[in-house]
Amino acid sequence: AVQAALQRAANGPVAVVGLAGSGPGVLCSTPAPPTAVPEGLGSSAALALAVLGEWVAASGAREVLLAAPRSFCAGVERAIEIVERALERFGPPVYVRRQIVHNQHVVAELEAKGAVFVEEVEEVPPGATVVLAAHGVAPAVREQAEARAGVVVDATCPLVAKVHREARRFAAEGRQVVLVGHADHEEVQGTVGEIEGRVQVVASPEEVAELPFGPEEPLAYLTQTTLALDETAEVLAALRARFPGIVGPSADDICYASQNRQDAVRALARRADLVVVVGSENSSNTARLVEVAQRSGCPAELVEDDGDLDPRWLAGRRRVGVTAGASAPERLVQAVVGALGSLGPLTVREVRTAEEHVRFTLPRKVR
């Protein structure tokens, strides 16, 4: 039976699924998998046949559009290098408060080199070396680290530090600050800590309507650096409409890398049948890329790595856009492209919307 099936499939790819203890293997060839489970097949064989059908539907020639820029930004590169240099200079273990950047693969790689990630400074042994993550911390956390650790290296992204300075300046002017962002994000918590008691966090136009300020209250706004531009614009429009006298920063708070990656995703969304975004679920800038693609009218999926690719997403989709959040390594992007290539002939083309040449100086303690 297998030999006859192989002869019938001679003109196309062949996949054979063998199940231990379940009798003869199930064979299927492209382009048409069996549409019904033969009578008498066990549940394991039926499941294998269904999975095989999904694989066949996802197979075929495909074009991949690679967003550029994508993957690491200057702030992420700086933060990772800070941990690596701290390990070289002070020796392991080096303790890092929270994830240095929001990516599981980056964290695992640094753990293998001797980094130890903790939730709070209290978990750091007295006199140890500690690195504060790229998302920034409240002054109270920094003071606690200085009192407990032997060496403290602050890896706060310079663009987040800019927002902190702006928050302090507005508070010194006697203004209440409206911070546009997600209250549970570490970056927002750090900014709130800079001017405790003088800041309100909002994430939507509806929340703007609930702010407790009167029309004459001196107000300023700031934004989380990793937000989506179009989403933030709606909130800022609501703020300006309700509080015409509100002032903002001299330069946009949303970081250049977030802007560039969102612009690149919009370019992909106009051409692709599907956009695959590589990054971790807890990465704000990565999640925004998925949302930007979807708001642009293109289906989009988030994957941690190539192991998360679902063949059901690919059925009938011959042009796939691929990008990565600013905290995801480029090697994960290439692994996703490789996985797509395993499903059939692949043409890869880069879609570049901006050039990036930003480089941030390292803290003096690890230069």
Side-chain angles (χ1 to χ4, degrees):
V2 170
Q3 183 178 1
L6 286 171
Q7 289 174 346
R8 289 196 302 272
N11 294 325
V14 175
V16 177
V17 177
L19 297 167
S22 63
V26 180
L27 183 142
C28 173
S29 64
T30 58
T35 56
V37 178
E39 187 176 350
L41 276 184
S43 58
S44 296
L47 176 61
L49 193 60
V51 171
L52 186 59
E54 293 172 0
W55 177 84
V56 170
S59 297
R62 183 170 281 112
E63 182 181 17
V64 167
L65 304 177
L66 275 180
R70 63 181 179 274
S71 194
F72 284 172
C73 65
V76 166
E77 290 176 342
R78 175 180 182 269
I80 294 170
E81 188 174 359
I82 286 171
V83 177
E84 292 174 338
R85 289 208 180 194
L87 285 165
E88 294 171 3
R89 177 160 297 186
F90 305 111
V94 166
Y95 291 83
V96 185
R97 182 185 180 272
R98 310 285 174 88
Q99 291 188 345
I100 185 67
V101 297
H102 287 158
N103 186 269
Q104 295 180 17
H105 288 271
V106 170
V107 169
E109 289 168 4
L110 291 174
E111 284 178 330
K113 296 178 180 179
V116 177
F117 291 87
V118 297
E119 281 298 302
E120 301 299 342
V121 173
E122 291 92 336
E123 301 171 55
V124 177
T129 299
V130 64
V131 175
L132 303 177
H135 308 99
V137 298
V141 174
R142 189 177 294 104
E143 292 167 6
Q144 185 182 23
E146 294 284 359
R148 186 173 185 85
V151 177
V152 178
V153 187
D154 191 347
T156 299
C157 174
L159 299 179
V160 174
K162 166 184 170 291
V163 177
H164 288 185
R165 291 193 299 271
E166 291 166 342
R168 294 193 298 269
R169 175 171 66 85
F170 286 138
E173 293 173 355
R175 297 181 182 276
Q176 294 289 330
V177 174
V178 179
L179 177 57
V180 182
H182 303 285
D184 59 348
H185 193 275
E186 290 171 40
E187 178 188 327
V188 169
Q189 292 168 357
T191 304
V192 169
E194 290 283 347
I195 52 171
E196 198 75 54
R198 298 192 66 85
V199 59
Q200 295 280 336
V201 180
V202 297
S204 68
E206 291 74 22
E207 292 180 8
V208 170
E210 299 173 1
L211 287 170
F213 305 126
E216 304 303 320
E217 185 89 46
L219 296 178
Y221 71 83
L222 296 168
T223 64
Q224 182 181 332
T225 64
T226 54
L227 298 179
L229 293 170
D230 50 357
E231 185 180 26
T232 305
E234 295 176 1
V235 182
L236 294 182
L239 276 172
R240 294 187 182 109
R242 185 176 174 199
F243 307 107
I246 195 168
V247 300
S250 56
D252 194 354
D253 285 337
I254 296 178
C255 85
Y256 77 95
S258 292
Q259 293 181 22
N260 289 346
R261 280 150 189 74
Q262 290 170 28
D263 289 343
V265 162
R266 289 188 188 92
L268 293 188
R270 289 193 293 266
R271 311 178 195 185
D273 305 317
L274 170 72
V275 171
V276 176
V277 180
V278 182
S280 292
E281 288 185 359
N282 64 332
S283 167
S284 175
N285 79 86
T286 303
R288 303 293 82 75
L289 295 180
V290 176
E291 294 169 2
V292 166
Q294 291 171 341
R295 283 200 296 272
S296 299
C298 185
E301 299 289 349
L302 174 65
V303 298
E304 181 77 40
D305 50 37
D306 58 305
D308 286 344
L309 277 175
D310 189 328
R312 289 172 293 188
W313 302 339
L314 302 170
R317 287 168 172 163
R318 297 304 169 202
R319 181 175 286 175
V320 177
V322 179
T323 189
S327 49
E330 172 65 15
R331 65 175 180 81
L332 300 180
V333 174
Q334 296 306 319
V336 167
V337 173
L340 293 171
S342 70
L343 294 170
L346 204 65
T347 301
V348 180
R349 183 161 60 90
E350 191 171 73
V351 178
R352 178 165 294 278
T353 54
E355 298 286 344
E356 290 183 350
H357 305 288
V358 178
R359 176 75 178 173
F360 293 131
T361 304
L362 295 173
R364 189 177 302 277
K365 290 178 182 178
V366 293
R367 287 182 201 165

